[in-house]
Short mmCIF file of all heavy atoms in Angstrom, two decimals:
data_model
loop_
_atom_site.label_atom_id
_atom_site.label_comp_id
_atom_site.label_asym_id
_atom_site.label_seq_id
_atom_site.Cartn_x
_atom_site.Cartn_y
_atom_site.Cartn_z
N MET K 1 0.85 -1.18 0.00
CA MET K 1 0.00 0.00 0.00
C MET K 1 0.88 1.23 0.00
O MET K 1 1.76 1.39 0.84
CB MET K 1 -0.89 -0.03 1.23
CG MET K 1 -1.80 1.11 1.36
SD MET K 1 -2.87 0.68 2.76
CE MET K 1 -3.59 2.19 3.08
N TYR K 2 0.68 2.11 -0.98
CA TYR K 2 1.50 3.31 -1.13
C TYR K 2 0.89 4.47 -0.36
O TYR K 2 -0.30 4.75 -0.50
CB TYR K 2 1.63 3.67 -2.62
CG TYR K 2 2.52 4.83 -2.87
CD1 TYR K 2 3.90 4.71 -2.75
CD2 TYR K 2 1.99 6.07 -3.21
CE1 TYR K 2 4.72 5.78 -2.98
CE2 TYR K 2 2.81 7.14 -3.45
CZ TYR K 2 4.18 6.99 -3.33
OH TYR K 2 5.00 8.06 -3.55
N LEU K 3 1.68 5.11 0.49
CA LEU K 3 1.18 6.24 1.26
C LEU K 3 1.18 7.50 0.43
O LEU K 3 2.05 7.70 -0.41
CB LEU K 3 2.06 6.45 2.50
CG LEU K 3 2.04 5.34 3.53
CD1 LEU K 3 3.04 5.64 4.64
CD2 LEU K 3 0.67 5.18 4.12
N SER K 4 0.22 8.38 0.67
CA SER K 4 0.16 9.63 -0.08
C SER K 4 1.31 10.54 0.32
O SER K 4 2.01 10.32 1.30
CB SER K 4 -1.18 10.32 0.18
OG SER K 4 -1.24 10.76 1.51
N GLU K 5 1.50 11.59 -0.46
CA GLU K 5 2.61 12.53 -0.24
C GLU K 5 2.59 13.14 1.15
O GLU K 5 3.61 13.28 1.79
CB GLU K 5 2.52 13.64 -1.30
CG GLU K 5 3.70 14.58 -1.33
CD GLU K 5 4.92 13.96 -1.98
OE1 GLU K 5 4.78 13.01 -2.76
OE2 GLU K 5 6.03 14.43 -1.70
N SER K 6 1.40 13.48 1.66
CA SER K 6 1.32 14.13 2.96
C SER K 6 1.52 13.15 4.11
O SER K 6 1.93 13.55 5.20
CB SER K 6 -0.03 14.83 3.10
OG SER K 6 -1.06 13.88 3.03
N LYS K 7 1.25 11.86 3.90
CA LYS K 7 1.37 10.88 4.98
C LYS K 7 2.78 10.30 5.09
O LYS K 7 3.14 9.73 6.10
CB LYS K 7 0.40 9.73 4.74
CG LYS K 7 -1.03 10.14 4.69
CD LYS K 7 -1.63 10.10 6.03
CE LYS K 7 -3.12 10.42 5.91
NZ LYS K 7 -3.76 10.47 7.15
N ARG K 8 3.59 10.43 4.03
CA ARG K 8 4.93 9.87 4.03
C ARG K 8 5.85 10.67 4.95
O ARG K 8 5.74 11.88 5.05
CB ARG K 8 5.49 9.89 2.61
CG ARG K 8 6.69 9.02 2.46
CD ARG K 8 7.21 8.94 1.06
NE ARG K 8 6.26 9.26 0.03
CZ ARG K 8 6.60 9.83 -1.11
NH1 ARG K 8 7.84 10.16 -1.35
NH2 ARG K 8 5.69 10.10 -2.02
N MET K 9 6.75 9.99 5.66
CA MET K 9 7.66 10.67 6.56
C MET K 9 8.66 11.50 5.76
O MET K 9 9.22 11.02 4.77
CB MET K 9 8.41 9.67 7.44
CG MET K 9 9.19 10.35 8.52
SD MET K 9 10.15 9.32 9.65
CE MET K 9 9.46 7.73 9.54
N ALA K 10 8.89 12.73 6.17
CA ALA K 10 9.84 13.61 5.50
C ALA K 10 11.25 13.12 5.75
O ALA K 10 11.73 13.14 6.87
CB ALA K 10 9.67 15.03 6.01
N THR K 11 11.90 12.62 4.69
CA THR K 11 13.25 12.09 4.80
C THR K 11 14.10 12.64 3.67
O THR K 11 13.67 12.64 2.52
CB THR K 11 13.24 10.55 4.72
OG1 THR K 11 12.36 10.05 5.72
CG2 THR K 11 14.61 9.98 4.94
N CYS K 12 15.31 13.08 3.99
CA CYS K 12 16.23 13.58 2.98
C CYS K 12 16.82 12.38 2.23
O CYS K 12 17.27 11.41 2.84
CB CYS K 12 17.35 14.38 3.64
SG CYS K 12 18.60 14.98 2.48
N GLU K 13 16.81 12.45 0.90
CA GLU K 13 17.30 11.33 0.10
C GLU K 13 18.82 11.25 0.09
O GLU K 13 19.37 10.22 -0.27
CB GLU K 13 16.76 11.44 -1.33
CG GLU K 13 15.26 11.25 -1.41
CD GLU K 13 14.71 11.38 -2.82
OE1 GLU K 13 15.51 11.46 -3.78
OE2 GLU K 13 13.48 11.40 -2.96
N LEU K 14 19.52 12.33 0.46
CA LEU K 14 20.98 12.30 0.47
C LEU K 14 21.53 11.89 1.83
O LEU K 14 22.32 10.95 1.93
CB LEU K 14 21.55 13.68 0.09
CG LEU K 14 21.47 14.06 -1.37
CD1 LEU K 14 22.13 15.40 -1.59
CD2 LEU K 14 22.11 13.02 -2.26
N CYS K 15 21.14 12.59 2.88
CA CYS K 15 21.74 12.33 4.19
C CYS K 15 20.87 11.44 5.08
O CYS K 15 21.34 10.95 6.11
CB CYS K 15 22.03 13.64 4.91
SG CYS K 15 20.58 14.60 5.37
N GLY K 16 19.60 11.24 4.72
CA GLY K 16 18.73 10.37 5.50
C GLY K 16 18.15 11.03 6.74
O GLY K 16 17.63 10.35 7.62
N LYS K 17 18.22 12.36 6.81
CA LYS K 17 17.68 13.07 7.97
C LYS K 17 16.17 12.87 8.04
O LYS K 17 15.46 12.97 7.06
CB LYS K 17 18.00 14.57 7.84
CG LYS K 17 17.66 15.37 9.07
CD LYS K 17 17.97 16.83 8.85
CE LYS K 17 19.46 17.07 8.84
NZ LYS K 17 19.77 18.51 8.76
N LYS K 18 15.68 12.54 9.26
CA LYS K 18 14.26 12.26 9.50
C LYS K 18 13.77 13.15 10.64
O LYS K 18 14.57 13.77 11.33
CB LYS K 18 14.07 10.80 9.91
CG LYS K 18 14.41 9.81 8.84
CD LYS K 18 14.21 8.41 9.37
CE LYS K 18 14.61 7.39 8.32
NZ LYS K 18 14.48 6.03 8.82
N PRO K 19 12.45 13.18 10.86
CA PRO K 19 11.93 13.92 12.01
C PRO K 19 12.49 13.38 13.31
O PRO K 19 12.69 12.18 13.46
CB PRO K 19 10.42 13.69 11.93
CG PRO K 19 10.15 13.38 10.51
CD PRO K 19 11.36 12.65 10.02
N SER K 20 12.73 14.29 14.27
CA SER K 20 13.15 13.86 15.60
C SER K 20 12.08 14.26 16.60
O SER K 20 11.32 15.19 16.37
CB SER K 20 14.50 14.46 15.97
OG SER K 20 14.45 15.87 15.93
N PHE K 21 12.03 13.56 17.71
CA PHE K 21 10.95 13.72 18.67
C PHE K 21 11.49 14.17 20.01
O PHE K 21 12.63 13.87 20.37
CB PHE K 21 10.21 12.39 18.84
CG PHE K 21 9.65 11.86 17.55
CD1 PHE K 21 10.39 11.01 16.76
CD2 PHE K 21 8.39 12.24 17.14
CE1 PHE K 21 9.89 10.54 15.56
CE2 PHE K 21 7.88 11.77 15.94
CZ PHE K 21 8.62 10.92 15.15
N GLY K 22 10.66 14.91 20.74
CA GLY K 22 11.05 15.38 22.06
C GLY K 22 9.85 15.95 22.78
O GLY K 22 8.72 15.56 22.54
N HIS K 23 10.12 16.90 23.68
CA HIS K 23 9.05 17.50 24.49
C HIS K 23 9.12 19.01 24.45
O HIS K 23 10.21 19.58 24.44
CB HIS K 23 9.19 17.07 25.97
CG HIS K 23 9.04 15.62 26.20
ND1 HIS K 23 7.83 14.98 26.16
CD2 HIS K 23 9.95 14.66 26.49
CE1 HIS K 23 8.00 13.70 26.42
NE2 HIS K 23 9.29 13.48 26.62
N ASN K 24 7.95 19.65 24.44
CA ASN K 24 7.85 21.06 24.81
C ASN K 24 7.85 21.07 26.33
O ASN K 24 7.15 20.26 26.95
CB ASN K 24 6.54 21.68 24.31
CG ASN K 24 6.61 22.10 22.88
OD1 ASN K 24 7.66 22.42 22.35
ND2 ASN K 24 5.46 22.08 22.21
N VAL K 25 8.60 21.97 26.93
CA VAL K 25 8.64 22.06 28.38
C VAL K 25 8.18 23.46 28.78
O VAL K 25 8.82 24.45 28.45
CB VAL K 25 10.05 21.77 28.94
CG1 VAL K 25 10.03 21.81 30.46
CG2 VAL K 25 10.55 20.43 28.46
N SER K 26 7.06 23.53 29.48
CA SER K 26 6.50 24.81 29.88
C SER K 26 7.22 25.33 31.13
O SER K 26 8.07 24.65 31.72
CB SER K 26 5.01 24.67 30.17
OG SER K 26 4.82 23.88 31.32
N PHE K 27 6.87 26.53 31.54
CA PHE K 27 7.47 27.13 32.74
C PHE K 27 7.23 26.27 33.96
O PHE K 27 8.08 26.16 34.84
CB PHE K 27 6.87 28.53 32.94
CG PHE K 27 7.42 29.25 34.13
CD1 PHE K 27 8.70 29.80 34.10
CD2 PHE K 27 6.67 29.39 35.29
CE1 PHE K 27 9.21 30.46 35.20
CE2 PHE K 27 7.18 30.05 36.39
CZ PHE K 27 8.45 30.59 36.35
N SER K 28 6.07 25.61 34.01
CA SER K 28 5.74 24.74 35.14
C SER K 28 6.36 23.35 34.98
O SER K 28 6.06 22.45 35.77
CB SER K 28 4.23 24.62 35.30
OG SER K 28 3.68 23.98 34.18
N LYS K 29 7.18 23.16 33.97
CA LYS K 29 7.88 21.90 33.67
C LYS K 29 6.95 20.79 33.21
O LYS K 29 7.30 19.62 33.26
CB LYS K 29 8.70 21.40 34.88
CG LYS K 29 9.70 22.38 35.42
CD LYS K 29 10.80 22.66 34.39
CE LYS K 29 11.91 23.51 34.96
NZ LYS K 29 11.66 24.93 34.86
N ARG K 30 5.76 21.15 32.76
CA ARG K 30 4.84 20.16 32.20
C ARG K 30 5.31 19.82 30.79
O ARG K 30 5.54 20.72 29.98
CB ARG K 30 3.43 20.73 32.17
CG ARG K 30 2.39 19.74 31.77
CD ARG K 30 1.02 20.41 31.81
NE ARG K 30 -0.01 19.48 31.41
CZ ARG K 30 -0.71 18.76 32.24
NH1 ARG K 30 -0.50 18.85 33.54
NH2 ARG K 30 -1.64 17.95 31.79
N ARG K 31 5.46 18.55 30.48
CA ARG K 31 5.99 18.13 29.19
C ARG K 31 4.88 17.66 28.25
O ARG K 31 4.05 16.84 28.64
CB ARG K 31 7.02 17.02 29.37
CG ARG K 31 8.32 17.53 29.93
CD ARG K 31 9.14 16.44 30.56
NE ARG K 31 10.49 16.87 30.85
CZ ARG K 31 10.83 17.63 31.89
NH1 ARG K 31 9.89 18.05 32.72
NH2 ARG K 31 12.08 17.97 32.09
N THR K 32 4.92 18.16 27.02
CA THR K 32 4.01 17.69 25.98
C THR K 32 4.85 17.27 24.78
O THR K 32 5.91 17.85 24.53
CB THR K 32 3.00 18.78 25.56
OG1 THR K 32 3.71 19.94 25.16
CG2 THR K 32 2.07 19.12 26.71
N ASN K 33 4.38 16.27 24.05
CA ASN K 33 5.14 15.75 22.92
C ASN K 33 5.20 16.76 21.78
O ASN K 33 4.25 17.51 21.56
CB ASN K 33 4.51 14.46 22.41
CG ASN K 33 4.64 13.35 23.41
OD1 ASN K 33 5.54 13.34 24.23
ND2 ASN K 33 3.71 12.41 23.36
N ARG K 34 6.31 16.77 21.07
CA ARG K 34 6.43 17.59 19.88
C ARG K 34 7.37 16.91 18.90
O ARG K 34 7.99 15.90 19.22
CB ARG K 34 6.91 18.99 20.21
CG ARG K 34 8.34 19.09 20.68
CD ARG K 34 8.94 20.43 20.39
NE ARG K 34 9.08 20.61 18.95
CZ ARG K 34 9.46 21.73 18.39
NH1 ARG K 34 9.74 22.78 19.12
NH2 ARG K 34 9.59 21.83 17.08
N ILE K 35 7.45 17.47 17.70
CA ILE K 35 8.25 16.87 16.63
C ILE K 35 9.01 17.98 15.90
O ILE K 35 8.48 19.08 15.70
CB ILE K 35 7.34 16.09 15.67
CG1 ILE K 35 8.12 15.38 14.60
CG2 ILE K 35 6.26 16.94 15.08
CD1 ILE K 35 7.29 14.40 13.79
N TRP K 36 10.26 17.71 15.57
CA TRP K 36 11.08 18.62 14.77
C TRP K 36 11.22 17.98 13.40
O TRP K 36 11.78 16.89 13.27
CB TRP K 36 12.47 18.81 15.36
CG TRP K 36 12.52 19.67 16.55
CD1 TRP K 36 12.69 21.03 16.59
CD2 TRP K 36 12.41 19.26 17.92
NE1 TRP K 36 12.68 21.48 17.87
CE2 TRP K 36 12.51 20.40 18.72
CE3 TRP K 36 12.22 18.03 18.54
CZ2 TRP K 36 12.45 20.36 20.10
CZ3 TRP K 36 12.15 17.99 19.90
CH2 TRP K 36 12.27 19.14 20.67
N ARG K 37 10.69 18.64 12.37
CA ARG K 37 10.75 18.10 11.02
C ARG K 37 11.87 18.77 10.23
O ARG K 37 12.06 19.98 10.33
CB ARG K 37 9.42 18.35 10.29
CG ARG K 37 8.29 17.53 10.86
CD ARG K 37 7.02 17.69 10.05
NE ARG K 37 5.96 16.86 10.57
CZ ARG K 37 5.10 17.27 11.49
NH1 ARG K 37 5.17 18.48 11.99
NH2 ARG K 37 4.16 16.44 11.92
N PRO K 38 12.62 17.99 9.44
CA PRO K 38 13.65 18.60 8.59
C PRO K 38 12.98 19.40 7.47
O PRO K 38 11.87 19.10 7.05
CB PRO K 38 14.42 17.41 8.04
CG PRO K 38 13.47 16.28 8.11
CD PRO K 38 12.59 16.53 9.29
N ASN K 39 13.68 20.43 7.00
CA ASN K 39 13.15 21.28 5.94
C ASN K 39 13.45 20.61 4.60
O ASN K 39 14.49 20.81 3.99
CB ASN K 39 13.81 22.67 6.02
CG ASN K 39 13.15 23.66 5.12
OD1 ASN K 39 12.23 23.35 4.39
ND2 ASN K 39 13.66 24.88 5.14
N ILE K 40 12.51 19.78 4.13
CA ILE K 40 12.68 19.01 2.91
C ILE K 40 12.10 19.79 1.73
O ILE K 40 10.98 20.28 1.80
CB ILE K 40 11.98 17.63 3.03
CG1 ILE K 40 12.51 16.85 4.22
CG2 ILE K 40 12.10 16.84 1.73
CD1 ILE K 40 13.92 16.38 4.09
N GLN K 41 12.89 19.89 0.65
CA GLN K 41 12.47 20.61 -0.55
C GLN K 41 12.67 19.70 -1.76
O GLN K 41 13.60 18.90 -1.79
CB GLN K 41 13.33 21.87 -0.75
CG GLN K 41 13.31 22.82 0.42
CD GLN K 41 11.97 23.48 0.63
OE1 GLN K 41 11.28 23.78 -0.33
NE2 GLN K 41 11.61 23.69 1.88
N LYS K 42 11.79 19.85 -2.75
CA LYS K 42 11.99 19.15 -4.02
C LYS K 42 12.89 20.02 -4.88
O LYS K 42 12.66 21.22 -5.04
CB LYS K 42 10.66 18.97 -4.75
CG LYS K 42 9.90 17.76 -4.36
CD LYS K 42 8.71 17.60 -5.27
CE LYS K 42 7.81 16.49 -4.78
NZ LYS K 42 6.58 16.41 -5.56
N THR K 43 13.92 19.42 -5.45
CA THR K 43 14.81 20.16 -6.33
C THR K 43 15.30 19.23 -7.43
O THR K 43 15.20 18.01 -7.31
CB THR K 43 15.99 20.76 -5.56
OG1 THR K 43 16.74 21.60 -6.42
CG2 THR K 43 16.89 19.69 -5.00
N THR K 44 15.81 19.82 -8.50
CA THR K 44 16.33 19.05 -9.62
C THR K 44 17.84 19.11 -9.60
O THR K 44 18.42 20.19 -9.54
CB THR K 44 15.79 19.61 -10.94
OG1 THR K 44 14.35 19.63 -10.88
CG2 THR K 44 16.23 18.76 -12.11
N LEU K 45 18.47 17.95 -9.63
CA LEU K 45 19.92 17.86 -9.66
C LEU K 45 20.36 17.28 -10.99
O LEU K 45 19.66 16.45 -11.57
CB LEU K 45 20.44 16.96 -8.54
CG LEU K 45 20.19 17.41 -7.11
CD1 LEU K 45 20.75 16.36 -6.15
CD2 LEU K 45 20.83 18.74 -6.84
N THR K 46 21.53 17.71 -11.45
CA THR K 46 22.12 17.13 -12.65
C THR K 46 23.13 16.09 -12.21
O THR K 46 24.11 16.40 -11.52
CB THR K 46 22.80 18.21 -13.50
OG1 THR K 46 21.86 19.24 -13.76
CG2 THR K 46 23.29 17.63 -14.80
N VAL K 47 22.90 14.84 -12.58
CA VAL K 47 23.79 13.75 -12.21
C VAL K 47 24.83 13.57 -13.31
O VAL K 47 24.64 14.02 -14.44
CB VAL K 47 23.00 12.44 -11.99
CG1 VAL K 47 22.10 12.57 -10.78
CG2 VAL K 47 22.20 12.06 -13.21
N PRO K 48 25.96 12.93 -12.98
CA PRO K 48 26.97 12.69 -14.02
C PRO K 48 26.35 11.95 -15.20
O PRO K 48 25.62 10.97 -15.04
CB PRO K 48 28.01 11.82 -13.31
CG PRO K 48 27.85 12.16 -11.87
CD PRO K 48 26.41 12.47 -11.67
N GLY K 49 26.64 12.43 -16.39
CA GLY K 49 26.04 11.89 -17.59
C GLY K 49 25.07 12.89 -18.20
O GLY K 49 24.49 12.64 -19.25
N GLY K 50 24.85 14.02 -17.50
CA GLY K 50 23.99 15.08 -18.02
C GLY K 50 22.51 14.87 -17.81
O GLY K 50 21.69 15.61 -18.34
N GLN K 51 22.14 13.88 -17.02
CA GLN K 51 20.73 13.61 -16.77
C GLN K 51 20.23 14.43 -15.59
O GLN K 51 20.95 14.60 -14.60
CB GLN K 51 20.56 12.12 -16.46
CG GLN K 51 19.41 11.48 -17.14
CD GLN K 51 19.36 9.99 -16.85
OE1 GLN K 51 20.18 9.45 -16.12
NE2 GLN K 51 18.38 9.31 -17.42
N SER K 52 19.00 14.93 -15.68
CA SER K 52 18.39 15.66 -14.57
C SER K 52 17.48 14.73 -13.81
O SER K 52 16.72 13.96 -14.41
CB SER K 52 17.59 16.85 -15.08
OG SER K 52 18.46 17.80 -15.66
N VAL K 53 17.54 14.81 -12.47
CA VAL K 53 16.70 13.95 -11.63
C VAL K 53 16.11 14.80 -10.51
O VAL K 53 16.78 15.67 -9.97
CB VAL K 53 17.51 12.74 -11.09
CG1 VAL K 53 18.62 13.19 -10.18
CG2 VAL K 53 16.61 11.77 -10.38
N GLN K 54 14.82 14.56 -10.20
CA GLN K 54 14.16 15.31 -9.15
C GLN K 54 14.32 14.56 -7.83
O GLN K 54 14.04 13.36 -7.76
CB GLN K 54 12.68 15.50 -9.48
CG GLN K 54 12.02 16.56 -8.64
CD GLN K 54 10.61 16.84 -9.09
OE1 GLN K 54 9.87 15.91 -9.40
NE2 GLN K 54 10.25 18.10 -9.13
N VAL K 55 14.80 15.26 -6.80
CA VAL K 55 15.05 14.64 -5.50
C VAL K 55 14.41 15.48 -4.40
O VAL K 55 14.13 16.65 -4.58
CB VAL K 55 16.57 14.48 -5.22
CG1 VAL K 55 17.19 13.47 -6.14
CG2 VAL K 55 17.27 15.81 -5.32
N ARG K 56 14.19 14.82 -3.26
CA ARG K 56 13.69 15.51 -2.06
C ARG K 56 14.83 15.53 -1.06
O ARG K 56 15.17 14.51 -0.48
CB ARG K 56 12.49 14.76 -1.49
CG ARG K 56 11.28 14.78 -2.38
CD ARG K 56 10.22 13.83 -1.87
NE ARG K 56 10.07 13.88 -0.44
CZ ARG K 56 8.95 14.22 0.20
NH1 ARG K 56 7.89 14.51 -0.48
NH2 ARG K 56 8.90 14.24 1.51
N ILE K 57 15.46 16.71 -0.89
CA ILE K 57 16.61 16.83 0.01
C ILE K 57 16.38 17.96 1.00
O ILE K 57 15.56 18.85 0.77
CB ILE K 57 17.93 17.05 -0.77
CG1 ILE K 57 17.87 18.31 -1.62
CG2 ILE K 57 18.24 15.85 -1.62
CD1 ILE K 57 19.18 18.63 -2.30
N CYS K 58 17.11 17.92 2.11
CA CYS K 58 16.99 18.97 3.12
C CYS K 58 17.80 20.19 2.68
O CYS K 58 18.68 20.12 1.83
CB CYS K 58 17.45 18.46 4.48
SG CYS K 58 19.17 17.99 4.57
N THR K 59 17.49 21.33 3.26
CA THR K 59 18.15 22.57 2.88
C THR K 59 19.62 22.58 3.27
O THR K 59 20.42 23.24 2.63
CB THR K 59 17.43 23.78 3.50
OG1 THR K 59 17.29 23.56 4.90
CG2 THR K 59 16.06 23.96 2.88
N ARG K 60 20.00 21.82 4.27
CA ARG K 60 21.42 21.70 4.63
C ARG K 60 22.19 21.05 3.49
O ARG K 60 23.29 21.48 3.14
CB ARG K 60 21.55 20.89 5.92
CG ARG K 60 22.95 20.53 6.31
CD ARG K 60 23.84 21.73 6.55
NE ARG K 60 23.37 22.50 7.69
CZ ARG K 60 23.97 23.61 8.12
NH1 ARG K 60 25.05 24.06 7.52
NH2 ARG K 60 23.49 24.27 9.14
N CYS K 61 21.63 20.01 2.90
CA CYS K 61 22.28 19.35 1.75
C CYS K 61 22.31 20.27 0.55
O CYS K 61 23.27 20.26 -0.23
CB CYS K 61 21.57 18.05 1.40
SG CYS K 61 21.79 16.76 2.66
N MET K 62 21.26 21.09 0.36
CA MET K 62 21.25 22.06 -0.74
C MET K 62 22.42 23.03 -0.59
O MET K 62 23.10 23.36 -1.57
CB MET K 62 19.94 22.85 -0.75
CG MET K 62 18.79 22.15 -1.34
SD MET K 62 17.40 23.29 -1.33
CE MET K 62 16.25 22.39 -2.32
N ARG K 63 22.65 23.51 0.62
CA ARG K 63 23.75 24.44 0.87
C ARG K 63 25.09 23.78 0.61
O ARG K 63 25.99 24.38 0.03
CB ARG K 63 23.70 24.95 2.31
CG ARG K 63 22.56 25.90 2.57
CD ARG K 63 22.52 26.32 4.01
NE ARG K 63 23.74 27.00 4.38
CZ ARG K 63 24.05 27.40 5.61
NH1 ARG K 63 23.20 27.14 6.60
NH2 ARG K 63 25.16 28.02 5.87
N THR K 64 25.23 22.52 1.03
CA THR K 64 26.48 21.80 0.81
C THR K 64 26.72 21.57 -0.67
O THR K 64 27.85 21.73 -1.15
CB THR K 64 26.44 20.45 1.56
OG1 THR K 64 26.18 20.70 2.94
CG2 THR K 64 27.74 19.71 1.41
N LEU K 65 25.68 21.22 -1.43
CA LEU K 65 25.83 21.02 -2.86
C LEU K 65 26.17 22.31 -3.58
O LEU K 65 26.90 22.29 -4.56
CB LEU K 65 24.54 20.42 -3.45
CG LEU K 65 24.27 18.97 -3.11
CD1 LEU K 65 22.88 18.58 -3.58
CD2 LEU K 65 25.32 18.07 -3.73
N ALA K 66 25.66 23.43 -3.09
CA ALA K 66 25.96 24.72 -3.71
C ALA K 66 27.45 25.05 -3.55
O ALA K 66 28.03 25.70 -4.42
CB ALA K 66 25.11 25.82 -3.10
N LYS K 67 28.08 24.60 -2.49
CA LYS K 67 29.51 24.84 -2.27
C LYS K 67 30.36 24.06 -3.26
O LYS K 67 31.40 24.52 -3.69
CB LYS K 67 29.93 24.41 -0.86
CG LYS K 67 29.48 25.33 0.22
CD LYS K 67 30.01 24.80 1.53
CE LYS K 67 29.55 25.60 2.71
NZ LYS K 67 30.08 25.08 3.95
N THR K 68 29.93 22.84 -3.59
CA THR K 68 30.74 21.96 -4.42
C THR K 68 30.62 22.25 -5.91
O THR K 68 31.40 21.75 -6.69
CB THR K 68 30.37 20.48 -4.18
OG1 THR K 68 28.99 20.30 -4.48
CG2 THR K 68 30.62 20.10 -2.75
N ARG K 69 29.63 23.05 -6.30
CA ARG K 69 29.45 23.35 -7.73
C ARG K 69 30.41 24.39 -8.21
O ARG K 69 30.91 25.20 -7.60
CB ARG K 69 28.03 23.81 -8.00
CG ARG K 69 27.05 22.68 -7.86
CD ARG K 69 25.68 23.12 -8.22
NE ARG K 69 24.76 22.04 -7.88
CZ ARG K 69 23.47 22.18 -7.95
NH1 ARG K 69 22.91 23.28 -8.33
NH2 ARG K 69 22.70 21.16 -7.64
#
């Protein structure tokens, strides 16, 4: 069964970064669950051989790729 785009976990295709979990902690130290999601963007990369491929990568990887170009 294939999950829809909104239900799929946000994962970077290059580094494998996934959502991490923790707690919001209020002034009274009451803890509630929360989630930190990576900033995943769709972008087009040119792979060796001149082919363009669409990937879902995090913005940290985008910055790193911009350095190497």
Side-chain angles (χ1 to χ4, degrees):
M1 180 172 166
Y2 184 73
L3 295 176
S4 68
E5 188 76 22
S6 62
K7 300 271 185 183
R8 195 176 338 148
M9 189 180 340
T11 305
C12 177
E13 293 179 9
L14 286 183
C15 66
K17 188 181 288 185
K18 294 179 183 177
S20 58
F21 302 91
H23 296 286
N24 278 332
V25 183
S26 68
F27 181 75
S28 65
K29 304 295 188 273
R30 187 178 179 95
R31 286 160 169 78
T32 56
N33 293 334
R34 69 153 293 174
I35 183 170
W36 285 270
R37 291 185 178 91
N39 190 358
I40 302 292
Q41 304 292 324
K42 274 188 188 174
T43 187
T44 305
L45 296 178
T46 306
V47 294
Q51 224 176 1
S52 294
V53 64
Q54 195 173 42
V55 292
R56 293 170 42 119
I57 59 175
C58 63
T59 52
R60 172 61 64 180
C61 291
M62 281 183 170
R63 289 177 61 186
T64 304
L65 288 172
K67 286 182 183 180
T68 58
R69 289 184 188 173

